[in-house]
Amino acid sequence: MPQAELYYSQDLALDAPALLRDIEAIIHTHDPSSGACKGRAFAVADTHHRHVLLQIALLEKAHRTPAFLQALQDKLAHRIAQGLPSPTALGVELRFLSPHYLTIEV
């Protein structure tokens, strides 16, 4: 199950819950085996330059090749960039979780 963390300058008018739902839908459309995406959003009050940073952590699997990751990154960046005022820096980072990562339902 992917993990998404969205950090953004507090002065941006983002609908973070809707954006997290869109991020999950993009991931699932690109990789139907991904499962639910655990998303968290953080409006950051103190920033230097207006920015949005999305960090996605995925389990490493054979089909998640560099080309796969680049295509997913492009789709996510395109969606997040919609409606952002200029100038706003946008960063999208995809990484793999540790092989020792564990998640359970309690």
Side-chain angles (χ1 to χ4, degrees):
M1 98 183 24
Q3 304 285 323
E5 293 191 351
L6 180 67
Y7 299 89
Y8 60 96
S9 299
Q10 185 173 303
D11 67 322
L12 292 171
L14 292 185
D15 182 348
L19 191 51
L20 289 171
R21 284 190 299 273
D22 289 352
I23 289 165
E24 179 180 53
I26 289 167
I27 293 169
H28 194 258
T29 298
H30 193 72
D31 184 359
S33 71
S34 63
C37 180
K38 303 303 181 198
R40 294 164 289 282
F42 305 93
V44 181
D46 299 322
T47 62
H48 182 66
H49 303 292
R50 182 184 293 151
H51 71 278
V52 176
L53 172 62
L54 174 64
Q55 296 176 315
I56 304 279
L58 304 157
L59 291 172
E60 190 167 5
K61 296 186 177 184
H63 70 279
R64 293 181 177 157
T65 63
F68 170 96
L69 295 172
Q70 184 64 57
L72 177 57
Q73 189 176 42
D74 291 345
K75 289 176 185 177
L76 291 166
H78 177 76
R79 168 55 190 94
I80 296 167
Q82 295 174 1
L84 288 180
S86 183
T88 302
L90 171 60
V92 177
E93 176 189 17
L94 302 179
R95 64 180 174 80
F96 291 121
L97 292 161
S98 161
H100 303 289
Y101 174 81
L102 171 69
T103 186
I104 60 171
E105 291 287 327
V106 294

